[in-house]
Amino acid sequence: MLLEALHLHHFRNLSKVRVEPHQRFNILAGDNGQGKTNFLEAIYLLSAVKSFRPSTNNASLIGFGHEQAVLEAKVERGGYERVVRVDVSERGKRVFLNENPVRNLSDFFGTVNVVTFGPEDIYILKGGPSERRRFVDRAIFNAHPAYATEAMNFEEILKHRNALLKGDGYDANLFAVYDEQFIDYAASMLQRRLDFIHHFRPVLERTFRAIFDPDFETEIAYEMKWPSTSPGHDGSLDELREDRVGVERLLQRGLEQSMREERQRGFTVIGPHRDDLSTTLNGRDVKTFASQGQHRAFVLAMKIAEITYLEERYHFAPILLLDDVSSELDRERNRHLFDFLRGREQGQVFITTTHRDYILLEDDVSVYRVQAGEVCPC
Amino acid sequence: MKTRDPITNLINALSKFPGIGERTATRLAFFVLKEPVEFANELASALIEVKEKVGLCQRCCNLTEGDLCAICRDTRRDPTTICVVESTPDLRAIEGTGDFRGTYHVLHGVISPLEGVGPDDLHVRELLDRMRPGPDQQATPVTEVIVATSPSVDGEATALYLLRLLRPLGVRVSRIASGVPIGGELEYTDRVTLSRAIAQRRDM
């Protein structure tokens, strides 16, 4: 996976950018507010057709005083060269693949694969469950682009079901239909997530030992939210990853036991939209018991393991977008990060920084200076 | 509304059409102004006529001028098979194939709780009435219902709902197939359709 050229027009404050990046390391240096993160955001947008900044509207992506932003990149993957383009106007985004309009996004997803690591990821374990669900979903999406459509369909069913729960009429047949649909889509998502965790767990364990302490035992597990008024489910979720009938039965039981609670609260209280990850170090919860250093090491290990997982299981190296992470990591962790990056045999990386000397890379490097929306090689 | 000038009134009325914004509505309004008065008279009476004369078929809820639509009146059609569609345009599309010789039932929408559309807002009751032969219903009992709602999330939910109501009545319920378009190229078929086509493959 290689970004061979990137052209941006009127994207946020980047009015005109033409870059032919290095195939290994690209450092974007500059003061805050000059456009470094916007550069990474543009690459992300060419992959996911949305921003990594939450709740971003189209208008804010377009340079002041202009009607549309154009993002274009030449990418190489598996020997194929493709030109991807996203036009952003206030009314919406249009995607082109080799000059042809893409009508169905599910056909486009997977053309550009990126993994991001930014300051907000440091709080992935301290934030709410949605942060951790997003981590899992992004990792699955990179390997299985169809997952995006599955998740969207699930969201739609969920909205319908919640509308039914809020409504006053009760039609048993109608509820049965939406229960059936809910279980169908939820089971698919759940199985994908359980499968991910199953294969991700050993990679994380290995990574954490390598960068922190070989004597530590890490554990990461998928936690299914259960109705607060009922006893939890028994048995291991891990065993259900290949047992479709078992997953459906579990969800069915969850819906049955939460019936009263969801009628009271007016929304669906169990399902993939409520689940979480639990993380422990030597058996103790990372979120509450780990020291600051252990905590950051764990997060760094999660990100490195995410990349390693994709490389080992699916044999491709995603483009890495690292946004000013060195300022959030201590010296030791920063060194581990760059040891890992240099140790990879291949893989393109984009790193933003305010201080070039934070970036412990000397070879295979292109440095760009970002100032007032201009990106120039130096 | 009445206090505004006639042109603004017309533009406002026209811009209520789906897909017509204020700019197009303005163009249409000035077109009407430019044409001779006969055009406006014809258009006005055509609009009134369609509302006054066109109603729903008492049996299948298709649009019709009489009590029964042309298809339900046609004695050569097979009344034991009913194809359920979302809308009249969908009915016309299937009629266009010339291959379906049964009768139809038009729901005029799909179930969508989010938009407040439930079974009672569609013509589901009329469909169920057709399953139990009564004095004013057809004499031969229905043996198969083909559910031809779109393969969208809402169309699928509607199909499953109908299945729940119809199956206990002992009637065969089928769903239209979805997959790779005939004459189309496999490589240009979208991923969702293709993966479903693989999952729902059939023996040869």
Side-chain angles (χ1 to χ4, degrees), chain B:
Chain B
M1 285 294 259
K2 282 278 184 314
T3 55
R4 294 216 191 103
D5 71 282
I7 299 181
T8 316
N9 264 344
L10 181 57
I11 293 173
N12 279 337
L14 288 171
S15 58
K16 287 186 181 140
F17 279 100
I20 301 224
E22 205 181 298
R23 202 182 300 182
T24 314
T26 309
R27 260 180 57 208
L28 294 176
F30 280 95
F31 177 79
V32 173
L33 269 178
K34 212 176 66 191
E35 290 293 295
V37 70
E38 290 79 27
F39 175 78
N41 276 331
E42 252 174 60
L43 181 64
S45 53
L47 289 173
I48 304 279
E49 201 183 352
V50 81
K51 285 304 283 183
E52 281 179 348
K53 290 203 178 150
V54 178
L56 297 187
C57 170
Q58 287 181 356
R59 191 174 292 160
C60 76
C61 303
N62 185 14
L63 298 176
T64 179
E65 283 182 54
D67 290 344
L68 286 181
C69 73
I71 295 169
C72 288
R73 276 201 312 267
D74 188 343
T75 51
R76 288 163 304 172
R77 308 285 299 217
D78 171 14
T80 63
T81 306
I82 296 177
C83 179
V84 181
V85 291
E86 287 173 24
S87 66
T88 309
D90 286 358
L91 180 152
R92 286 178 184 227
I94 295 176
E95 267 308 271
T97 68
D99 286 332
F100 179 65
R101 298 307 300 159
T103 55
Y104 293 92
H105 194 85
V106 187
L107 295 173
H108 294 281
V110 278
I111 295 172
S112 173
L114 201 54
E115 280 152 43
V117 183
D120 296 342
D121 303 301
L122 308 172
H123 297 275
V124 173
R125 189 169 302 274
E126 288 89 334
L127 176 65
L128 295 180
D129 285 344
R130 292 174 74 179
M131 300 301 129
R132 335 183 168 85
D136 43 283
Q137 291 292 331
Q138 59 199 34
T140 34
V142 174
T143 52
E144 180 175 1
V145 174
I146 305 168
V147 184
T149 52
S150 319
S152 61
V153 168
D154 289 345
E156 215 57 65
T158 307
L160 285 171
Y161 182 76
L162 293 179
L163 176 67
R164 284 191 170 265
L165 298 188
L166 293 170
R167 196 184 267 159
L169 305 178
V171 61
R172 178 181 172 205
V173 185
S174 58
R175 181 91 174 98
I176 48 161
S178 58
V180 183
I182 306 292
E185 307 233 359
L186 211 62
E187 64 168 318
Y188 293 119
T189 307
D190 70 281
R191 282 186 192 151
V192 179
T193 305
L194 207 49
S195 70
R196 187 184 286 203
I198 298 276
Q200 299 177 351
R201 66 192 179 277
R202 58 184 168 79
D203 287 327
M204 297 176 60

Side-chain angles (χ1 to χ4, degrees), chain A residues 38-58:
Chain A
N38 295 349
F39 187 94
L40 298 189
E41 185 184 28
I43 300 174
Y44 184 91
L45 205 143
L46 284 163
S47 165
V49 199
K50 61 177 186 187
S51 168
F52 54 48
R53 294 173 161 116
S55 56
T56 304
N57 62 17
N58 286 327

Side-chain angles (χ1 to χ4, degrees), chain A residues 205-233:
Chain A
E205 171 133 22
R206 172 155 55 88
T207 311
F208 188 83
R209 285 184 177 181
I211 68 170
F212 194 76
D213 189 332
D215 292 333
F216 269 90
E217 241 174 69
T218 60
E219 186 57 77
I220 186 163
Y222 192 80
E223 251 182 11
M224 192 174 168
K225 174 94 176 168
W226 206 250
S228 51
T229 49
S230 305
H233 50 87

Side-chain angles (χ1 to χ4, degrees), chain A residues 154 157-158 178-186 255 268 270-271:
Chain A
F154 170 77
I157 290 293
L158 181 65
Y178 281 95
D179 285 359
E180 193 180 322
Q181 298 264 79
F182 176 86
I183 289 171
D184 190 20
Y185 286 101
L255 285 185
T268 310
I270 67 135

